[in-house]
Amino acid sequence: MRKAVKVLLLLLAATIIIFSAAAGFIMLTFDKQDYCEALTTTVREFTDYQLEIIEPLTTDISIRPSFSAAAVKIFIPGKPTPLEIRKFRLKLTLAALLKKHLQANISGVINSQPSLNLVLPEELSAVESLTLATRVATNGSELKLSNLRLKATNKQGLNIKADGHGLIEDFSAPQPFKKLDLKVKISSPDSRTFRGYMPDDLPELGKLQGSLRLVAVSNQELAARKINFLCRRDAGELETRVGGEISRIPVDPDKPNSDIDLKLELYSPSTLTVNEFISQPLPEIGPVRITARIRESKKELSVEELELHTGNSGALEIKAGGRLKFKESDSKTEPALDEIDLKCDISAPAGTRLPDFSGSTDNGLQVPDNGPLRATFTLKGNPEKINFDDFSTHFGQTVITAGLEVILSGKRPYLSGNIHAQSLNLHDFAISSETEPKIPDAAAQKPPEPKKTETAKPDRSQFFSPEPLPWELLHLIDCDLKLTIDEIVGRQDREGISDLNFTVKLKAGRLLADPAALVYKSGRAEFSLLIDDTDPASAPRVELKGDVKDLELEGLLETLALDLQVSGKLTARTEINSRGRSPADLAVNLNGPFEVVLEKGKVPSQIMKLIAIDILGWSFDKILMQKRSTEIGCGILALDTRQGLLKVKAFILESPDLLITGAGTVNLKDEACDLTIYPKKKRKFLAMVNPVNIRGPLQDPQVIAIPVKSAALLYGGALLAPQIFLPAIGLDYLWGKVSKDSKDKKSPCFEYLHKKKYIR
C-alpha cells in the first residue's frame, strides 16, 4: 500500500512544477517556442529536474488559459530513464492568477513500461496504463488537490480507481500530505495480480473485488480504512472476504505496517479446497467455514475470535475456536508462535463411517451403532509449555479422559500426564468376536507333505537381522505417562478384563515400563520392560520380566476378539535380558529363563491336523478329527538361555490318547537347532514310535527319525519343546500337543508341576 502511494507523489511533483512555471510565463509571453524554452529553463533553475516538451504543443489564451503536449518527459536525478507523461494537459484559472494564486486542472497518461516501472511498485507490475487527473490550487504555502482521480488498468481486466482530495504542506517531507482522503476501488479477474501483497504460496483465490479508504495520519505514515475485499472462484468453489483497517502504513518501505485490525472469512463447500492452503492433506468431510480477527502491533500479531466449522450435524462435524498469538522477531523471519488457546469439539452420529487422510471412507473407522462420537479438548500453551487439558471422548460405550503436558524448554520435549479409560469396549472399534471361525471339513483336508531336505537353504542372515534398531528414537523425547483402563469389554456375556494399567518413563535414552498389569477373573499378569541406551560407550541393554498366574484363556481371547478357540488356565514366568544394537546382537546375548504351563484346556482339532503327522509316523483317530476341539490336560515348556544358547529344561504335552516329550538345544548365535521329540500313544496299538530329530539351520532344518535307544543315550530324561522353533508350524504346534491324561493314570506332566510347585 505504501509503495502505491509513491505513484501519486511522483506524479504530483512533476505536474505541480510544470503548472507553476507555466503560470508565470503565460503572463510574459504567448510565443509557442519561447514559451517552451522559458518553461524548461525555469523548471531547471528552480528544481533538480530536467523538462522536455514534445511537439505538438498548443496554447489557448482565453478566459481559461491552457496548453497541451503530446508528451512531457521529466528527467529525475538518479533515475536511468525519464518519467514520460503522455496526452499532457494543463488548464489555468485566470481569476486565481490575478489574485496571485495558482489554480489549474492537470491530466495525463503514463503507459510506457519504463515510466510505469519508475512510478509503480514491483507488486503492481501487471499495470499497463496509469491515468491522472486533478485540480490543483495554491493557498499560501500549501497546495490543495481536489477532484483527484487515478486509474490503473491492463488488457486482462485489472481496474484500480482512486477518487478524493488532499492538502500538501511540506513537499520535502517523506509523506508530504497534511491531509489525504482517497476512495480506492479495485477489481481483477485473478487475485494473483496482487500476489506481491499476499502471503507467499497462497493459491489463486479467484476474481477480486473490493474497496478501501486511504488517508494521511502524519508526515510519516498513511492509513487504510474501511477495507472490504471479496475473492470468489467460479461456481462458488471458494469465497474469501477481508475487512477492517491498517492504521499505520509507513512511507518508508523498510518499516512494516502496524496497528492492523482485519477480519478474515473463508468458505468452501468442500474440505478438499483447504488442502491448497496447507501441506497436510485433509479428507473430504463437507463444507468448511473459517473466521478470524487478525490484529498486529509493532511487536506482536494475534489471531483472535478464531472459529472453524467443517462438516455437518448429519455426519462428522468439527468445531474449533480460540486465539493464537505470534511474537515478532527482530530478523526478517516469520513471526514465531508465542501463545495458543484453542478449544475443539468433534462429533458424529452413531453408525457414521469416518474418513481417513486418503480421503476414503472405505477403510475408515466406523462410529458404533450403540452410541455417537463426541470428543472435546482444550489446547493451551506457549513456546515453553503446552497443555492438552480436559480431553474427554465418548465413542460408543467407550469413555476416555486425559490430561497431558509437554514442556519444550529443556534439551528434549518432556511429555507427562494421565490417560484414563473408564470402559474400553472393543466392539466400538469394529473388532468383532461374534463370528465363529470357519473350520474346514477334516475329511477334505490333506496332511501337509513332508519337508524336503534337498531344497535350497535360504540366507541365514535373514533370520536375525544384523541391521541396527532405531535406538535414536529413545533420545528424541522424555516422558512420564500413566495409562489406566478400568475395564476392557469384549462380548457382553463375558467378564471383561479389569485393572489394566502401566506407567511408561523415558529419560535420556532409558525407557522403563513398570509396572504393567491386568486382571481377568481370578488370574493376573504383570510385566516390566527396561531398555537402557544411556551409555554411548556400550550397546543398549534390554530386560523383560513377566509373571502370569491362572489366566483363563477362553474368555480372555474372546474378550480380545482373538478367535483361536483355545482354552485353559495359563501360568508363565520369564526374566530375560540381553544387550545389542541389532536383533542378531540381542539374540546372541540373550540370557534368562522362560517357563509356561497350560492346564485343563482345549485347542481346535484342525490345528492338530496341521502337524506334520507323516513325519512323526502316526496319525490321529478319525473320530478325534471330526470334533471341533481337542482336550488338553497339561502342557509344559521350560527353557534356560545362556549367551544365546537355549536349553530345554522341560517339555511335556498330554492328552487322553497322546504323550509327547522332548529335549535339545537351539543356538541363536549359529542359528541352528538340535532337537528331538518323542511322541507316544497311550493305547497299546502302535504305542511306540521312533523319536524325531530336528537338526540344522533354523530356517530349514532336517527332520529325520532316530532309534529310541539313540534318543535315550543322547538326552536321557530331558524334556523338550522343539516345535516352537519350526517356522512352518509355529507356536500352534505347542498348543495343539498339550493334552490331558485319563483319570486312572499317573500324569508325568502334573508330577512335574507338583515338583515345581506350580499347582498343589
Side-chain angles (χ1 to χ4, degrees), residues 658-709:
L658 180 65
L659 173 66
I660 298 179
T661 60
T665 61
V666 175
N667 192 323
L668 300 181
K669 180 179 180 180
D670 298 332
E671 298 187 355
C673 63
D674 186 357
L675 312 167
T676 297
I677 59 175
Y678 180 23
K680 179 181 179 182
K681 279 195 171 185
K682 294 183 177 181
R683 298 179 182 180
K684 293 182 180 180
F685 181 69
L686 292 179
M688 300 296 296
V689 294
N690 287 333
V692 176
N693 180 248
I694 303 169
R695 178 181 297 177
L698 295 180
Q699 297 232 35
D700 190 21
Q702 291 183 339
V703 182
I704 58 175
I706 62 174
V708 177
K709 292 183 178 180

Side-chain angles (χ1 to χ4, degrees), residues 187-245:
S187 65
S188 174
D190 192 330
S191 67
R192 286 173 293 191
T193 302
F194 301 94
R195 59 182 177 270
Y197 293 105
M198 297 181 180
D200 295 338
D201 303 324
L202 191 69
E204 161 59 16
L205 301 179
K207 183 179 179 180
L208 183 147
Q209 286 183 322
S211 62
L212 59 87
R213 184 181 174 190
L214 186 66
V215 298
V217 294
S218 72
N219 62 355
Q220 299 285 337
E221 296 172 328
L222 300 171
R225 297 172 180 168
K226 296 184 179 181
I227 297 173
N228 186 9
F229 286 99
L230 170 64
C231 295
R232 179 181 293 165
R233 290 185 183 175
D234 295 337
E237 178 186 344
L238 177 65
E239 185 174 292
T240 308
R241 293 180 180 271
V242 179
E245 66 177 35

Side-chain angles (χ1 to χ4, degrees), residues 512-589:
L512 177 63
D514 182 31
L518 65 86
V519 175
Y520 181 73
K521 294 185 177 180
S522 61
R524 180 178 179 84
E526 295 182 353
F527 298 92
S528 68
L529 172 66
L530 171 66
I531 302 177
D532 192 344
D533 188 33
T534 56
D535 186 0
S538 61
R541 178 168 57 94
V542 179
E543 294 181 2
L544 174 63
K545 297 179 181 180
D547 191 356
V548 180
K549 297 180 180 179
D550 298 331
L551 276 185
E552 293 287 350
L553 288 181
E554 181 178 9
L556 178 63
L557 296 176
E558 289 180 349
T559 298
L560 297 176
L562 300 175
D563 298 322
L564 299 180
Q565 296 298 304
V566 177
S567 64
K569 186 176 292 186
L570 179 69
T571 298
R573 297 174 184 171
T574 187
E575 190 171 344
I576 58 176
N577 64 82
S578 186
R579 188 182 290 273
R581 297 197 173 276
S582 68
D585 294 339
L586 293 172
V588 170
N589 296 312

Side-chain angles (χ1 to χ4, degrees), residues 158-463:
L158 170 66
N159 196 328
I160 304 175
K161 294 181 179 180
D163 298 280
H165 60 273
L167 180 65
I168 298 178
E169 183 179 39
D170 183 4
F171 197 80
S172 63
Q175 193 289 99
F177 285 96
K178 181 179 180 180
K179 295 181 180 179
L180 177 67
D181 193 342
L182 289 178
K183 295 180 180 179
V184 183
K185 294 183 178 180
I186 301 174
S187 65
S188 174
D190 192 330
S191 67
R192 286 173 293 191
T193 302
F194 301 94
R195 59 182 177 270
Y197 293 105
M198 297 181 180
D200 295 338
D201 303 324
L202 191 69
E204 161 59 16
L205 301 179
K207 183 179 179 180
L208 183 147
Q209 286 183 322
S211 62
L212 59 87
R213 184 181 174 190
L214 186 66
V215 298
V217 294
S218 72
N219 62 355
Q220 299 285 337
E221 296 172 328
L222 300 171
R225 297 172 180 168
K226 296 184 179 181
I227 297 173
N228 186 9
F229 286 99
L230 170 64
C231 295
R232 179 181 293 165
R233 290 185 183 175
D234 295 337
E237 178 186 344
L238 177 65
E239 185 174 292
T240 308
R241 293 180 180 271
V242 179
E245 66 177 35
I246 304 176
S247 299
R248 300 170 69 90
I249 306 175
V251 178
D252 186 349
D254 294 329
K255 294 182 178 181
N257 298 341
S258 60
D259 291 351
I260 298 173
D261 190 350
L262 298 175
K263 186 173 183 179
L264 172 69
E265 182 177 346
L266 182 147
Y267 172 78
S268 174
S270 172
T271 315
L272 298 179
T273 306
V274 183
N275 292 343
E276 302 178 34
F277 294 83
I278 59 178
S279 58
Q280 176 65 50
L282 297 176
E284 174 56 51
I285 60 176
V288 57
R289 183 180 298 276
I290 301 174
T291 61
R293 185 178 183 182
I294 301 174
R295 307 184 72 176
E296 182 179 11
S297 63
K298 291 184 177 181
K299 294 185 178 181
E300 65 180 33
L301 180 147
S302 63
V303 180
E304 302 176 356
E305 302 173 18
L306 173 64
E307 293 185 7
L308 179 146
H309 185 187
T310 183
N312 55 75
S313 58
L316 177 63
E317 186 175 24
I318 301 175
K319 299 178 182 178
R323 66 188 300 268
L324 303 172
K325 183 178 177 182
F326 299 86
K327 186 176 182 180
E328 295 283 358
S329 60
D330 295 334
S331 61
K332 295 183 179 181
T333 59
E334 294 295 327
L337 182 63
D338 187 54
E339 183 180 331
I340 182 171
D341 187 353
L342 296 177
K343 185 174 183 178
C344 300
D345 189 325
I346 304 172
S347 61
T352 302
R353 176 71 70 175
L354 303 178
D356 57 22
F357 278 92
S358 67
S360 171
T361 58
D362 296 337
N363 300 322
L365 192 65
Q366 181 172 343
V367 179
D369 295 330
N370 60 354
L373 163 66
R374 181 67 187 276
T376 59
F377 62 89
T378 59
L379 195 63
K380 296 183 178 181
N382 52 52
E384 296 183 353
K385 183 176 67 175
I386 296 178
N387 290 91
F388 190 73
D389 294 330
D390 303 326
F391 178 84
S392 177
T393 296
H394 291 253
F395 189 75
Q397 300 301 310
T398 298
V399 181
I400 301 175
T401 59
L404 302 174
E405 180 182 81
V406 182
I407 297 178
L408 305 172
S409 56
K411 294 182 178 180
R412 292 173 297 275
Y414 177 70
L415 173 65
S416 63
N418 298 313
I419 302 174
H420 176 229
Q422 298 177 358
S423 175
L424 183 64
N425 195 313
L426 299 183
H427 292 293
D428 293 340
F429 299 91
I431 301 176
S432 176
S433 58
E434 297 296 330
T435 304
E436 296 291 340
K438 296 181 179 180
I439 300 180
D441 183 6
Q445 299 295 315
K446 295 182 180 180
E449 296 182 359
K451 292 186 178 180
K452 297 180 180 180
T453 57
E454 66 272 16
T455 57
K457 293 179 174 58
D459 184 5
R460 289 177 54 195
S461 63
Q462 297 179 0
F463 198 89

